[in-house]
PDB file of all heavy atoms in Angstrom:
ATOM      1  N   SER A1007      -1.923  -2.392 -11.462  1.00 96.00           N
ATOM      2  CA  SER A1007      -0.565  -1.905 -11.074  1.00 96.00           C
ATOM      3  C   SER A1007      -0.348  -0.508 -11.371  1.00 96.00           C
ATOM      4  O   SER A1007       0.218   0.331 -10.636  1.00 96.00           O
ATOM      5  CB  SER A1007       0.473  -2.807 -11.686  1.00 96.00           C
ATOM      6  OG  SER A1007       0.494  -4.134 -11.216  1.00 96.00           O
ATOM      7  N   GLN A1008      -0.822  -0.137 -12.632  1.00 96.00           N
ATOM      8  CA  GLN A1008      -0.689   1.246 -13.088  1.00 96.00           C
ATOM      9  C   GLN A1008      -1.479   2.179 -12.259  1.00 96.00           C
ATOM     10  O   GLN A1008      -1.142   3.317 -11.884  1.00 96.00           O
ATOM     11  CB  GLN A1008      -1.072   1.453 -14.610  1.00 96.00           C
ATOM     12  CG  GLN A1008      -0.807   2.747 -15.057  1.00 96.00           C
ATOM     13  CD  GLN A1008       0.633   3.323 -15.056  1.00 96.00           C
ATOM     14  OE1 GLN A1008       1.571   2.486 -15.470  1.00 96.00           O
ATOM     15  NE2 GLN A1008       0.859   4.405 -14.428  1.00 96.00           N
ATOM     16  N   PHE A1009      -2.744   1.728 -11.876  1.00 96.00           N
ATOM     17  CA  PHE A1009      -3.653   2.564 -11.061  1.00 96.00           C
ATOM     18  C   PHE A1009      -2.972   2.831  -9.693  1.00 96.00           C
ATOM     19  O   PHE A1009      -2.937   4.006  -9.274  1.00 96.00           O
ATOM     20  CB  PHE A1009      -4.871   1.854 -10.863  1.00 96.00           C
ATOM     21  CG  PHE A1009      -5.779   2.493  -9.826  1.00 96.00           C
ATOM     22  CD1 PHE A1009      -6.652   3.552 -10.092  1.00 96.00           C
ATOM     23  CD2 PHE A1009      -5.837   1.841  -8.582  1.00 96.00           C
ATOM     24  CE1 PHE A1009      -7.418   4.155  -9.066  1.00 96.00           C
ATOM     25  CE2 PHE A1009      -6.720   2.317  -7.610  1.00 96.00           C
ATOM     26  CZ  PHE A1009      -7.474   3.456  -7.824  1.00 96.00           C
ATOM     27  N   ILE A1010      -2.416   1.791  -9.059  1.00 97.00           N
ATOM     28  CA  ILE A1010      -1.732   1.965  -7.786  1.00 97.00           C
ATOM     29  C   ILE A1010      -0.572   2.900  -7.917  1.00 97.00           C
ATOM     30  O   ILE A1010      -0.333   3.832  -6.994  1.00 97.00           O
ATOM     31  CB  ILE A1010      -1.233   0.630  -7.272  1.00 97.00           C
ATOM     32  CG1 ILE A1010      -2.388  -0.378  -6.983  1.00 97.00           C
ATOM     33  CG2 ILE A1010      -0.378   0.821  -6.014  1.00 97.00           C
ATOM     34  CD1 ILE A1010      -3.319   0.081  -5.772  1.00 97.00           C
ATOM     35  N   ALA A1011       0.221   2.759  -8.997  1.00 96.00           N
ATOM     36  CA  ALA A1011       1.387   3.706  -9.212  1.00 96.00           C
ATOM     37  C   ALA A1011       0.902   5.118  -9.308  1.00 96.00           C
ATOM     38  O   ALA A1011       1.524   6.091  -8.735  1.00 96.00           O
ATOM     39  CB  ALA A1011       2.142   3.308 -10.499  1.00 96.00           C
ATOM     40  N   ASP A1012      -0.238   5.342 -10.048  1.00 96.00           N
ATOM     41  CA  ASP A1012      -0.748   6.670 -10.181  1.00 96.00           C
ATOM     42  C   ASP A1012      -1.304   7.302  -8.815  1.00 96.00           C
ATOM     43  O   ASP A1012      -1.157   8.466  -8.548  1.00 96.00           O
ATOM     44  CB  ASP A1012      -1.968   6.657 -11.129  1.00 96.00           C
ATOM     45  CG  ASP A1012      -1.499   6.438 -12.526  1.00 96.00           C
ATOM     46  OD1 ASP A1012      -0.241   6.560 -12.876  1.00 96.00           O
ATOM     47  OD2 ASP A1012      -2.299   5.962 -13.399  1.00 96.00           O
ATOM     48  N   VAL A1013      -1.895   6.417  -8.020  1.00 96.00           N
ATOM     49  CA  VAL A1013      -2.457   6.806  -6.670  1.00 96.00           C
ATOM     50  C   VAL A1013      -1.258   7.326  -5.798  1.00 96.00           C
ATOM     51  O   VAL A1013      -1.254   8.237  -5.209  1.00 96.00           O
ATOM     52  CB  VAL A1013      -3.186   5.641  -6.014  1.00 96.00           C
ATOM     53  CG1 VAL A1013      -3.367   6.014  -4.491  1.00 96.00           C
ATOM     54  CG2 VAL A1013      -4.507   5.514  -6.697  1.00 96.00           C
ATOM     55  N   ILE A1014      -0.179   6.459  -5.828  1.00 95.00           N
ATOM     56  CA  ILE A1014       1.127   6.789  -5.027  1.00 95.00           C
ATOM     57  C   ILE A1014       1.604   8.183  -5.442  1.00 95.00           C
ATOM     58  O   ILE A1014       1.979   9.042  -4.634  1.00 95.00           O
ATOM     59  CB  ILE A1014       2.139   5.674  -5.187  1.00 95.00           C
ATOM     60  CG1 ILE A1014       1.675   4.440  -4.484  1.00 95.00           C
ATOM     61  CG2 ILE A1014       3.508   6.197  -4.586  1.00 95.00           C
ATOM     62  CD1 ILE A1014       2.574   3.216  -4.853  1.00 95.00           C
ATOM     63  N   GLU A1015       1.663   8.440  -6.759  1.00 94.00           N
ATOM     64  CA  GLU A1015       2.263   9.621  -7.341  1.00 94.00           C
ATOM     65  C   GLU A1015       1.256  10.870  -7.100  1.00 94.00           C
ATOM     66  O   GLU A1015       1.783  11.864  -6.592  1.00 94.00           O
ATOM     67  CB  GLU A1015       2.402   9.487  -8.853  1.00 94.00           C
ATOM     68  CG  GLU A1015       3.280  10.463  -9.465  1.00 94.00           C
ATOM     69  CD  GLU A1015       4.740  10.452  -9.124  1.00 94.00           C
ATOM     70  OE1 GLU A1015       5.326   9.425  -8.899  1.00 94.00           O
ATOM     71  OE2 GLU A1015       5.351  11.599  -9.007  1.00 94.00           O
ATOM     72  N   ASN A1016       0.026  10.614  -7.359  1.00 94.00           N
ATOM     73  CA  ASN A1016      -0.890  11.796  -7.337  1.00 94.00           C
ATOM     74  C   ASN A1016      -1.238  12.282  -5.904  1.00 94.00           C
ATOM     75  O   ASN A1016      -1.426  13.375  -5.580  1.00 94.00           O
ATOM     76  CB  ASN A1016      -2.234  11.462  -8.026  1.00 94.00           C
ATOM     77  CG  ASN A1016      -2.028  11.275  -9.505  1.00 94.00           C
ATOM     78  OD1 ASN A1016      -1.005  11.734 -10.064  1.00 94.00           O
ATOM     79  ND2 ASN A1016      -2.973  10.563 -10.110  1.00 94.00           N
ATOM     80  N   SER A1017      -1.268  11.232  -4.940  1.00 94.00           N
ATOM     81  CA  SER A1017      -1.648  11.546  -3.682  1.00 94.00           C
ATOM     82  C   SER A1017      -0.444  12.058  -2.801  1.00 94.00           C
ATOM     83  O   SER A1017      -0.602  12.671  -1.772  1.00 94.00           O
ATOM     84  CB  SER A1017      -2.195  10.295  -2.876  1.00 94.00           C
ATOM     85  OG  SER A1017      -1.196   9.315  -2.724  1.00 94.00           O
ATOM     86  N   GLN A1018       0.748  11.824  -3.258  1.00 93.00           N
ATOM     87  CA  GLN A1018       1.988  12.171  -2.558  1.00 93.00           C
ATOM     88  C   GLN A1018       2.025  11.518  -1.199  1.00 93.00           C
ATOM     89  O   GLN A1018       2.427  12.185  -0.165  1.00 93.00           O
ATOM     90  CB  GLN A1018       2.166  13.688  -2.447  1.00 93.00           C
ATOM     91  CG  GLN A1018       2.303  14.351  -3.817  1.00 93.00           C
ATOM     92  CD  GLN A1018       3.678  14.062  -4.455  1.00 93.00           C
ATOM     93  OE1 GLN A1018       4.726  14.391  -3.910  1.00 93.00           O
ATOM     94  NE2 GLN A1018       3.601  13.419  -5.598  1.00 93.00           N
ATOM     95  N   MET A1019       1.460  10.335  -1.051  1.00 94.00           N
ATOM     96  CA  MET A1019       1.477   9.631   0.193  1.00 94.00           C
ATOM     97  C   MET A1019       2.936   9.475   0.762  1.00 94.00           C
ATOM     98  O   MET A1019       2.997   9.418   2.024  1.00 94.00           O
ATOM     99  CB  MET A1019       0.719   8.256   0.063  1.00 94.00           C
ATOM    100  CG  MET A1019       1.430   7.233  -0.801  1.00 94.00           C
ATOM    101  SD  MET A1019       0.473   5.724  -1.104  1.00 94.00           S
ATOM    102  CE  MET A1019       0.102   5.073   0.520  1.00 94.00           C
ATOM    103  N   ILE A1020       3.909   9.231  -0.031  1.00 94.00           N
ATOM    104  CA  ILE A1020       5.302   9.239   0.420  1.00 94.00           C
ATOM    105  C   ILE A1020       6.109  10.174  -0.493  1.00 94.00           C
ATOM    106  O   ILE A1020       6.011  10.122  -1.695  1.00 94.00           O
ATOM    107  CB  ILE A1020       5.841   7.768   0.374  1.00 94.00           C
ATOM    108  CG1 ILE A1020       5.075   6.833   1.328  1.00 94.00           C
ATOM    109  CG2 ILE A1020       7.343   7.699   0.679  1.00 94.00           C
ATOM    110  CD1 ILE A1020       5.541   5.385   1.123  1.00 94.00           C
ATOM    111  N   ALA A1021       6.837  11.022   0.204  1.00 93.00           N
ATOM    112  CA  ALA A1021       7.753  11.861  -0.544  1.00 93.00           C
ATOM    113  C   ALA A1021       8.987  11.036  -0.926  1.00 93.00           C
ATOM    114  O   ALA A1021       9.655  10.487   0.034  1.00 93.00           O
ATOM    115  CB  ALA A1021       8.109  13.102   0.314  1.00 93.00           C
ATOM    116  N   LYS A1022       9.268  10.941  -2.239  1.00 93.00           N
ATOM    117  CA  LYS A1022      10.410  10.094  -2.617  1.00 93.00           C
ATOM    118  C   LYS A1022      11.701  10.669  -2.050  1.00 93.00           C
ATOM    119  O   LYS A1022      12.768   9.970  -1.905  1.00 93.00           O
ATOM    120  CB  LYS A1022      10.480   9.965  -4.132  1.00 93.00           C
ATOM    121  CG  LYS A1022       9.330   9.170  -4.591  1.00 93.00           C
ATOM    122  CD  LYS A1022       9.321   9.100  -6.135  1.00 93.00           C
ATOM    123  CE  LYS A1022       8.084   8.248  -6.677  1.00 93.00           C
ATOM    124  NZ  LYS A1022       8.018   8.295  -8.131  1.00 93.00           N
ATOM    125  N   GLU A1023      11.719  11.948  -1.697  1.00 94.00           N
ATOM    126  CA  GLU A1023      12.972  12.568  -1.090  1.00 94.00           C
ATOM    127  C   GLU A1023      13.242  11.886   0.266  1.00 94.00           C
ATOM    128  O   GLU A1023      14.334  11.834   0.684  1.00 94.00           O
ATOM    129  CB  GLU A1023      12.766  14.047  -0.936  1.00 94.00           C
ATOM    130  CG  GLU A1023      12.752  14.819  -2.271  1.00 94.00           C
ATOM    131  CD  GLU A1023      11.470  14.883  -2.969  1.00 94.00           C
ATOM    132  OE1 GLU A1023      10.547  14.250  -2.422  1.00 94.00           O
ATOM    133  OE2 GLU A1023      11.338  15.521  -4.030  1.00 94.00           O
ATOM    134  N   ASP A1024      12.246  11.478   0.918  1.00 93.00           N
ATOM    135  CA  ASP A1024      12.333  10.796   2.258  1.00 93.00           C
ATOM    136  C   ASP A1024      12.967   9.440   2.213  1.00 93.00           C
ATOM    137  O   ASP A1024      13.481   8.945   3.196  1.00 93.00           O
ATOM    138  CB  ASP A1024      10.956  10.632   2.922  1.00 93.00           C
ATOM    139  CG  ASP A1024      10.301  11.944   3.292  1.00 93.00           C
ATOM    140  OD1 ASP A1024      10.998  12.965   3.411  1.00 93.00           O
ATOM    141  OD2 ASP A1024       8.994  11.984   3.603  1.00 93.00           O
ATOM    142  N   LEU A1025      13.064   8.933   0.957  1.00 93.00           N
ATOM    143  CA  LEU A1025      13.700   7.569   0.755  1.00 93.00           C
ATOM    144  C   LEU A1025      15.119   7.745   0.431  1.00 93.00           C
ATOM    145  O   LEU A1025      15.831   6.748   0.239  1.00 93.00           O
ATOM    146  CB  LEU A1025      12.927   6.853  -0.261  1.00 93.00           C
ATOM    147  CG  LEU A1025      11.448   6.514  -0.047  1.00 93.00           C
ATOM    148  CD1 LEU A1025      10.765   5.809  -1.211  1.00 93.00           C
ATOM    149  CD2 LEU A1025      11.257   5.701   1.202  1.00 93.00           C
ATOM    150  N   CYS A1026      15.581   8.898   0.257  1.00 91.00           N
ATOM    151  CA  CYS A1026      17.051   9.126  -0.095  1.00 91.00           C
ATOM    152  C   CYS A1026      17.816   9.160   1.200  1.00 91.00           C
ATOM    153  O   CYS A1026      17.561   9.707   2.145  1.00 91.00           O
ATOM    154  CB  CYS A1026      17.149  10.496  -0.888  1.00 91.00           C
ATOM    155  SG  CYS A1026      18.816  10.794  -1.314  1.00 91.00           S
ATOM    156  N   ILE A1027      19.061   8.374   1.123  1.00 90.00           N
ATOM    157  CA  ILE A1027      19.948   8.293   2.216  1.00 90.00           C
ATOM    158  C   ILE A1027      21.107   9.133   2.036  1.00 90.00           C
ATOM    159  O   ILE A1027      21.470   9.865   2.920  1.00 90.00           O
ATOM    160  CB  ILE A1027      20.316   6.826   2.376  1.00 90.00           C
ATOM    161  CG1 ILE A1027      19.071   5.859   2.668  1.00 90.00           C
ATOM    162  CG2 ILE A1027      21.447   6.616   3.551  1.00 90.00           C
ATOM    163  CD1 ILE A1027      19.310   4.451   2.554  1.00 90.00           C
ATOM    164  N   ALA A1028      21.629   9.114   0.847  1.00 88.00           N
ATOM    165  CA  ALA A1028      22.794   9.928   0.571  1.00 88.00           C
ATOM    166  C   ALA A1028      22.632  10.468  -0.879  1.00 88.00           C
ATOM    167  O   ALA A1028      22.574   9.622  -1.828  1.00 88.00           O
ATOM    168  CB  ALA A1028      24.202   9.265   0.734  1.00 88.00           C
ATOM    169  N   ASN A1029      22.530  11.772  -1.084  1.00 89.00           N
ATOM    170  CA  ASN A1029      22.262  12.351  -2.381  1.00 89.00           C
ATOM    171  C   ASN A1029      23.177  11.814  -3.383  1.00 89.00           C
ATOM    172  O   ASN A1029      24.475  11.961  -3.318  1.00 89.00           O
ATOM    173  CB  ASN A1029      22.436  13.969  -2.223  1.00 89.00           C
ATOM    174  CG  ASN A1029      21.653  14.697  -3.292  1.00 89.00           C
ATOM    175  OD1 ASN A1029      21.563  14.158  -4.445  1.00 89.00           O
ATOM    176  ND2 ASN A1029      21.034  15.763  -3.031  1.00 89.00           N
ATOM    177  N   GLY A1030      22.572  11.279  -4.501  1.00 87.00           N
ATOM    178  CA  GLY A1030      23.327  10.703  -5.625  1.00 87.00           C
ATOM    179  C   GLY A1030      24.044   9.487  -5.417  1.00 87.00           C
ATOM    180  O   GLY A1030      24.710   8.858  -6.271  1.00 87.00           O
ATOM    181  N   LYS A1031      24.031   8.918  -4.133  1.00 88.00           N
ATOM    182  CA  LYS A1031      24.820   7.716  -3.785  1.00 88.00           C
ATOM    183  C   LYS A1031      23.881   6.508  -3.419  1.00 88.00           C
ATOM    184  O   LYS A1031      24.076   5.458  -3.840  1.00 88.00           O
ATOM    185  CB  LYS A1031      25.735   7.994  -2.680  1.00 88.00           C
ATOM    186  CG  LYS A1031      26.839   8.931  -3.051  1.00 88.00           C
ATOM    187  CD  LYS A1031      27.787   9.151  -1.897  1.00 88.00           C
ATOM    188  CE  LYS A1031      28.856  10.219  -2.243  1.00 88.00           C
ATOM    189  NZ  LYS A1031      29.762  10.443  -1.042  1.00 88.00           N
ATOM    190  N   LEU A1032      22.883   6.785  -2.514  1.00 91.00           N
ATOM    191  CA  LEU A1032      22.170   5.649  -1.911  1.00 91.00           C
ATOM    192  C   LEU A1032      20.737   5.997  -1.614  1.00 91.00           C
ATOM    193  O   LEU A1032      20.445   7.237  -1.021  1.00 91.00           O
ATOM    194  CB  LEU A1032      22.878   5.129  -0.669  1.00 91.00           C
ATOM    195  CG  LEU A1032      22.545   3.713  -0.202  1.00 91.00           C
ATOM    196  CD1 LEU A1032      22.956   2.692  -1.257  1.00 91.00           C
ATOM    197  CD2 LEU A1032      23.217   3.462   1.135  1.00 91.00           C
ATOM    198  N   ALA A1033      19.805   5.209  -1.933  1.00 92.00           N
ATOM    199  CA  ALA A1033      18.331   5.478  -1.686  1.00 92.00           C
ATOM    200  C   ALA A1033      17.609   4.135  -1.395  1.00 92.00           C
ATOM    201  O   ALA A1033      18.120   3.089  -1.818  1.00 92.00           O
ATOM    202  CB  ALA A1033      17.745   6.161  -2.775  1.00 92.00           C
ATOM    203  N   TRP A1034      16.531   4.182  -0.767  1.00 93.00           N
ATOM    204  CA  TRP A1034      15.625   3.045  -0.549  1.00 93.00           C
ATOM    205  C   TRP A1034      14.756   2.688  -1.759  1.00 93.00           C
ATOM    206  O   TRP A1034      14.247   3.707  -2.400  1.00 93.00           O
ATOM    207  CB  TRP A1034      14.683   3.222   0.663  1.00 93.00           C
ATOM    208  CG  TRP A1034      15.380   3.081   1.999  1.00 93.00           C
ATOM    209  CD1 TRP A1034      15.713   4.133   2.900  1.00 93.00           C
ATOM    210  CD2 TRP A1034      15.867   1.972   2.575  1.00 93.00           C
ATOM    211  NE1 TRP A1034      16.242   3.645   4.033  1.00 93.00           N
ATOM    212  CE2 TRP A1034      16.421   2.326   3.839  1.00 93.00           C
ATOM    213  CE3 TRP A1034      15.909   0.569   2.198  1.00 93.00           C
ATOM    214  CZ2 TRP A1034      16.985   1.419   4.706  1.00 93.00           C
ATOM    215  CZ3 TRP A1034      16.532  -0.294   3.119  1.00 93.00           C
ATOM    216  CH2 TRP A1034      17.017   0.011   4.387  1.00 93.00           C
ATOM    217  N   VAL A1035      14.566   1.531  -2.096  1.00 95.00           N
ATOM    218  CA  VAL A1035      13.612   1.100  -3.069  1.00 95.00           C
ATOM    219  C   VAL A1035      12.563   0.269  -2.342  1.00 95.00           C
ATOM    220  O   VAL A1035      12.839  -0.702  -1.595  1.00 95.00           O
ATOM    221  CB  VAL A1035      14.176   0.214  -4.119  1.00 95.00           C
ATOM    222  CG1 VAL A1035      13.178  -0.174  -5.215  1.00 95.00           C
ATOM    223  CG2 VAL A1035      15.336   0.841  -4.780  1.00 95.00           C
ATOM    224  N   LEU A1036      11.269   0.681  -2.422  1.00 96.00           N
ATOM    225  CA  LEU A1036      10.168  -0.069  -1.721  1.00 96.00           C
ATOM    226  C   LEU A1036       9.358  -0.842  -2.795  1.00 96.00           C
ATOM    227  O   LEU A1036       8.740  -0.349  -3.625  1.00 96.00           O
ATOM    228  CB  LEU A1036       9.232   0.962  -1.080  1.00 96.00           C
ATOM    229  CG  LEU A1036       9.800   1.815   0.046  1.00 96.00           C
ATOM    230  CD1 LEU A1036       8.742   2.722   0.592  1.00 96.00           C
ATOM    231  CD2 LEU A1036      10.479   0.984   1.107  1.00 96.00           C
ATOM    232  N   TYR A1037       9.665  -2.202  -2.659  1.00 96.00           N
ATOM    233  CA  TYR A1037       8.848  -3.069  -3.703  1.00 96.00           C
ATOM    234  C   TYR A1037       7.549  -3.441  -2.945  1.00 96.00           C
ATOM    235  O   TYR A1037       7.549  -4.037  -1.937  1.00 96.00           O
ATOM    236  CB  TYR A1037       9.640  -4.330  -3.973  1.00 96.00           C
ATOM    237  CG  TYR A1037      10.885  -4.013  -4.751  1.00 96.00           C
ATOM    238  CD1 TYR A1037      12.146  -4.002  -4.219  1.00 96.00           C
ATOM    239  CD2 TYR A1037      10.817  -3.856  -6.135  1.00 96.00           C
ATOM    240  CE1 TYR A1037      13.253  -3.673  -4.925  1.00 96.00           C
ATOM    241  CE2 TYR A1037      11.961  -3.581  -7.015  1.00 96.00           C
ATOM    242  CZ  TYR A1037      13.136  -3.523  -6.358  1.00 96.00           C
ATOM    243  OH  TYR A1037      14.300  -3.253  -7.126  1.00 96.00           O
ATOM    244  N   CYS A1038       6.421  -3.099  -3.564  1.00 96.00           N
ATOM    245  CA  CYS A1038       5.083  -3.347  -2.916  1.00 96.00           C
ATOM    246  C   CYS A1038       4.347  -4.371  -3.791  1.00 96.00           C
ATOM    247  O   CYS A1038       3.783  -4.041  -4.836  1.00 96.00           O
ATOM    248  CB  CYS A1038       4.310  -1.929  -2.863  1.00 96.00           C
ATOM    249  SG  CYS A1038       5.117  -0.583  -2.041  1.00 96.00           S
ATOM    250  N   ASP A1039       4.353  -5.549  -3.287  1.00 96.00           N
ATOM    251  CA  ASP A1039       3.691  -6.655  -3.886  1.00 96.00           C
ATOM    252  C   ASP A1039       2.301  -6.808  -3.420  1.00 96.00           C
ATOM    253  O   ASP A1039       2.131  -7.139  -2.211  1.00 96.00           O
ATOM    254  CB  ASP A1039       4.521  -7.981  -3.830  1.00 96.00           C
ATOM    255  CG  ASP A1039       5.733  -7.903  -4.679  1.00 96.00           C
ATOM    256  OD1 ASP A1039       5.687  -7.544  -5.848  1.00 96.00           O
ATOM    257  OD2 ASP A1039       6.781  -8.220  -4.125  1.00 96.00           O
ATOM    258  N   ILE A1040       1.316  -6.640  -4.204  1.00 96.00           N
ATOM    259  CA  ILE A1040      -0.144  -6.766  -3.774  1.00 96.00           C
ATOM    260  C   ILE A1040      -0.670  -8.028  -4.506  1.00 96.00           C
ATOM    261  O   ILE A1040      -0.774  -8.041  -5.752  1.00 96.00           O
ATOM    262  CB  ILE A1040      -0.885  -5.539  -4.181  1.00 96.00           C
ATOM    263  CG1 ILE A1040      -0.265  -4.348  -3.520  1.00 96.00           C
ATOM    264  CG2 ILE A1040      -2.460  -5.696  -3.835  1.00 96.00           C
ATOM    265  CD1 ILE A1040      -0.771  -2.977  -4.034  1.00 96.00           C
ATOM    266  N   ILE A1041      -0.995  -9.002  -3.803  1.00 95.00           N
ATOM    267  CA  ILE A1041      -1.543 -10.198  -4.306  1.00 95.00           C
ATOM    268  C   ILE A1041      -2.927 -10.557  -3.951  1.00 95.00           C
ATOM    269  O   ILE A1041      -3.295 -10.486  -2.662  1.00 95.00           O
ATOM    270  CB  ILE A1041      -0.625 -11.433  -3.857  1.00 95.00           C
ATOM    271  CG1 ILE A1041       0.834 -11.169  -4.213  1.00 95.00           C
ATOM    272  CG2 ILE A1041      -1.073 -12.744  -4.425  1.00 95.00           C
ATOM    273  CD1 ILE A1041       1.904 -12.066  -3.568  1.00 95.00           C
ATOM    274  N   CYS A1042      -3.747 -10.821  -4.854  1.00 96.00           N
ATOM    275  CA  CYS A1042      -5.181 -11.092  -4.534  1.00 96.00           C
ATOM    276  C   CYS A1042      -5.285 -12.669  -4.296  1.00 96.00           C
ATOM    277  O   CYS A1042      -4.843 -13.470  -5.124  1.00 96.00           O
ATOM    278  CB  CYS A1042      -6.012 -10.688  -5.791  1.00 96.00           C
ATOM    279  SG  CYS A1042      -7.875 -10.999  -5.486  1.00 96.00           S
ATOM    280  N   LEU A1043      -5.802 -12.965  -3.168  1.00 95.00           N
ATOM    281  CA  LEU A1043      -5.999 -14.365  -2.738  1.00 95.00           C
ATOM    282  C   LEU A1043      -7.328 -14.901  -3.072  1.00 95.00           C
ATOM    283  O   LEU A1043      -7.590 -16.089  -3.302  1.00 95.00           O
ATOM    284  CB  LEU A1043      -5.727 -14.512  -1.232  1.00 95.00           C
ATOM    285  CG  LEU A1043      -4.310 -14.097  -0.763  1.00 95.00           C
ATOM    286  CD1 LEU A1043      -4.281 -14.158   0.842  1.00 95.00           C
ATOM    287  CD2 LEU A1043      -3.225 -14.763  -1.427  1.00 95.00           C
ATOM    288  N   ASP A1044      -8.368 -13.977  -3.109  1.00 96.00           N
ATOM    289  CA  ASP A1044      -9.768 -14.376  -3.280  1.00 96.00           C
ATOM    290  C   ASP A1044     -10.315 -13.136  -4.032  1.00 96.00           C
ATOM    291  O   ASP A1044     -10.452 -12.093  -3.408  1.00 96.00           O
ATOM    292  CB  ASP A1044     -10.500 -14.724  -2.113  1.00 96.00           C
ATOM    293  CG  ASP A1044     -11.782 -15.437  -2.379  1.00 96.00           C
ATOM    294  OD1 ASP A1044     -12.261 -15.480  -3.577  1.00 96.00           O
ATOM    295  OD2 ASP A1044     -12.444 -15.904  -1.385  1.00 96.00           O
ATOM    296  N   TYR A1045     -10.857 -13.383  -5.298  1.00 96.00           N
ATOM    297  CA  TYR A1045     -11.434 -12.236  -6.076  1.00 96.00           C
ATOM    298  C   TYR A1045     -12.908 -12.219  -6.098  1.00 96.00           C
ATOM    299  O   TYR A1045     -13.491 -13.222  -6.680  1.00 96.00           O
ATOM    300  CB  TYR A1045     -10.838 -12.199  -7.482  1.00 96.00           C
ATOM    301  CG  TYR A1045     -11.355 -11.108  -8.336  1.00 96.00           C
ATOM    302  CD1 TYR A1045     -10.735  -9.876  -8.371  1.00 96.00           C
ATOM    303  CD2 TYR A1045     -12.431 -11.197  -9.118  1.00 96.00           C
ATOM    304  CE1 TYR A1045     -11.063  -8.833  -9.135  1.00 96.00           C
ATOM    305  CE2 TYR A1045     -12.917 -10.117  -9.882  1.00 96.00           C
ATOM    306  CZ  TYR A1045     -12.206  -8.986  -9.874  1.00 96.00           C
ATOM    307  OH  TYR A1045     -12.662  -7.866 -10.660  1.00 96.00           O
ATOM    308  N   ASP A1046     -13.559 -11.258  -5.548  1.00 95.00           N
ATOM    309  CA  ASP A1046     -14.952 -11.065  -5.699  1.00 95.00           C
ATOM    310  C   ASP A1046     -15.367  -9.595  -5.855  1.00 95.00           C
ATOM    311  O   ASP A1046     -16.124  -8.999  -5.177  1.00 95.00           O
ATOM    312  CB  ASP A1046     -15.731 -11.681  -4.447  1.00 95.00           C
ATOM    313  CG  ASP A1046     -17.232 -11.706  -4.586  1.00 95.00           C
ATOM    314  OD1 ASP A1046     -17.700 -11.658  -5.805  1.00 95.00           O
ATOM    315  OD2 ASP A1046     -18.017 -11.675  -3.623  1.00 95.00           O
ATOM    316  N   GLY A1047     -14.641  -9.001  -6.874  1.00 91.00           N
ATOM    317  CA  GLY A1047     -14.979  -7.646  -7.211  1.00 91.00           C
ATOM    318  C   GLY A1047     -14.228  -6.584  -6.370  1.00 91.00           C
ATOM    319  O   GLY A1047     -13.709  -6.942  -5.309  1.00 91.00           O
TER     320      GLY A1047
END
């Protein structure tokens, strides 16, 4: 989870400013749930 958070931050794949709707009032929160169904490395 920490690795994924670091990748999002370091790569700047999404600008968090793009998720703001109204400055200081409203913004989007993206909950990204990654679930492993079958683990083989």
Side-chain angles (χ1 to χ4, degrees):
S1007 295
Q1008 186 58 54
F1009 169 80
I1010 296 292
D1012 291 342
V1013 168
I1014 293 168
E1015 193 69 35
N1016 296 339
S1017 68
Q1018 295 292 298
M1019 64 188 300
I1020 294 174
K1022 290 178 183 175
E1023 290 83 357
D1024 292 341
L1025 300 176
C1026 183
I1027 298 163
N1029 202 323
K1031 294 179 181 177
L1032 200 63
W1034 285 110
V1035 183
L1036 301 180
Y1037 292 101
C1038 308
D1039 287 312
I1040 301 165
I1041 303 165
C1042 184
L1043 304 178
D1044 191 353
Y1045 181 88
D1046 187 22

